[in-house]
């Protein structure tokens, strides 16, 4: 059974630092991996989607990598800003159920001014 | 602007009462989903629908029911059989194709009083 883990559960860093969020999954048979952002009490915003054949995707200050063989993905945030404070969730789309996403519990990120 | 609208934002349910959460999308997406989010846990799939008049149970369907009479609408009813309904409920939609990502609504917070 596919399981997705995000460590750490919470992270606090000073503004301006570069940081890495981690996501690991137990079964490499995935279709894609997605990173989302969730602000308190709000819905999810899609950040990046990496197809299983890709190694990385970039959007602005965000870069997500995927290593299927090791079951890992990282979300790199460059030059962090207080507005980046949110919970970041990763999810993998698996192949044994139609359109089934398996979710990590998220990393709560706080950027201190 | 295209998007997903969930209502109400906050909902209070008395013991033994059924309540219905609304989800409407104007994105012309074929697939729609309902997720439940509890603190410290990943999102869990309740029901999903890939086409009008058809829907499938997710991992935690017991105590919930849905309908898909129109492409734009996918309401979720939380019945009295759901013994622990207090949670944050998220509706999502997607194009009927892998690797195109998901759009989420802003959520409904349901509390049992």
């Amino acid at each position: 059974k596919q399981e997705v883990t995000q460590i750490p559960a919470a992270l606090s860093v000073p503004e301006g630092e570069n940081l890495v969020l981690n996501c690991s999954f137990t079964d490499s048979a995935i279709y894609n991996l997605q990173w989302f952002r969730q602000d308190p009490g709000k819905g999810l915003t899609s950040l990046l989607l990496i197809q299983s054949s890709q190694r990385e995707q970039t959007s602005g200050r965000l870069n997500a990598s995927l290593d299927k063989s090791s079951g890992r993905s990282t979300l790199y945030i460059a030059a962090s800003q207080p507005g980046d404070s949110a919970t970041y969730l990763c999810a993998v789309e698996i192949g044994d159920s139609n359109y089934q996403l398996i979710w990590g519990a998220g990393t709560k990120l706080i950027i201190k001014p | 602007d295209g998007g997903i609208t969930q209502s109400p934002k906050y909902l209070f349910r008395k013991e033994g009462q059924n309540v219905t959460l609304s989800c409407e999308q104007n994105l012309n997406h074929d697939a729609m989903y309902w997720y439940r989010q509890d603190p410290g846990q990943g999102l869990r799939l309740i029901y999903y629908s890939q086409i009008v008049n058809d829907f499938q149970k997710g991992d935690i369907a017991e105590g919930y029911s849905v309908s898909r009479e129109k492409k734009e609408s996918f309401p979720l009813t939380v019945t009295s059989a759901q013994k622990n309904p207090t949670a944050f409920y998220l509706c999502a939609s997607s194009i009927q194709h892998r690797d195109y990502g998901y759009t989420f609504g802003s959520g409904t917070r349901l509390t049992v009083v």
Side-chain angles (χ1 to χ4, degrees), chain A residues 25 27-30 51-55 66-72:
Chain A
F25 47 96
D27 188 341
S28 62
I30 64 171
Q51 298 179 14
S52 61
S53 59
Q54 297 176 320
R55 298 283 292 182
L66 174 63
D67 184 342
K68 277 181 55 178
S69 61
S70 67
R72 292 182 180 181

Side-chain angles (χ1 to χ4, degrees), chain A residues 32 38 43 93 99-100 103-104, chain B residues 35 37 42 45 50 99 102 105:
Chain A
N32 60 53
Q38 185 176 30
E93 189 159 24
Y99 307 99
Q100 174 77 285
W103 295 82
Chain B
Y35 287 94
Q37 187 177 34
L45 183 65
Q50 295 175 289
D99 296 337
Y102 294 74

Side-chain angles (χ1 to χ4, degrees), chain A:
Chain A
K1 180 183 177 183
Q2 178 73 269
E3 294 183 357
V4 179
T5 303
Q6 292 185 251
I7 295 174
L11 182 63
S12 180
V13 300
E15 178 180 5
E17 282 199 3
N18 303 324
L19 59 97
V20 174
L21 305 180
N22 297 298
C23 174
S24 61
F25 47 96
T26 55
D27 188 341
S28 62
I30 64 171
Y31 277 94
N32 60 53
L33 184 144
Q34 303 178 42
W35 283 93
F36 295 85
R37 168 186 173 138
Q38 185 176 30
D39 293 288
K42 300 290 180 62
L44 277 65
T45 300
S46 179
L47 297 175
L48 290 164
L49 184 154
I50 310 176
Q51 298 179 14
S52 61
S53 59
Q54 297 176 320
R55 298 283 292 182
E56 66 178 341
Q57 282 284 349
T58 298
S59 176
R61 294 183 293 108
L62 305 179
N63 175 277
S65 68
L66 174 63
D67 184 342
K68 277 181 55 178
S69 61
S70 67
R72 292 182 180 181
S73 175
T74 61
L75 179 66
Y76 174 83
I77 302 177
S80 59
Q81 303 170 358
D84 294 329
S85 298
T87 296
Y88 290 81
L89 298 156
C90 72
V92 297
E93 189 159 24
I94 62 177
D96 58 353
S97 297
N98 288 326
Y99 307 99
Q100 174 77 285
L101 285 176
I102 307 299
W103 295 82
T107 294
K108 183 176 182 178
L109 177 63
I110 297 174
I111 307 298
K112 297 175 290 186

Side-chain angles (χ1 to χ4, degrees), chain B residues 8 21 48:
Chain B
L21 284 60
Y48 66 99

Side-chain angles (χ1 to χ4, degrees), chain B residues 35-97:
Chain B
Y35 287 94
R36 171 177 171 145
Q37 187 177 34
D38 294 282
Q41 298 187 35
L43 275 68
R44 291 182 291 170
L45 183 65
I46 304 172
Y47 269 99
Y48 66 99
S49 169
Q50 295 175 289
I51 194 169
V52 173
N53 292 323
D54 186 55
F55 46 83
Q56 308 294 328
K57 292 182 179 180
D59 298 323
I60 56 166
E62 184 175 351
Y64 300 96
S65 65
V66 293
S67 63
R68 186 88 186 275
E69 298 177 359
K70 298 186 300 181
K71 187 175 185 178
E72 303 79 18
S73 179
F74 192 41
L76 173 73
T77 296
V78 184
T79 74
S80 57
Q82 172 50 242
K83 298 307 179 186
N84 185 23
T86 295
F88 191 53
Y89 291 86
L90 287 160
C91 179
S93 71
S94 69
I95 296 173
Q96 194 72 308
H97 190 284

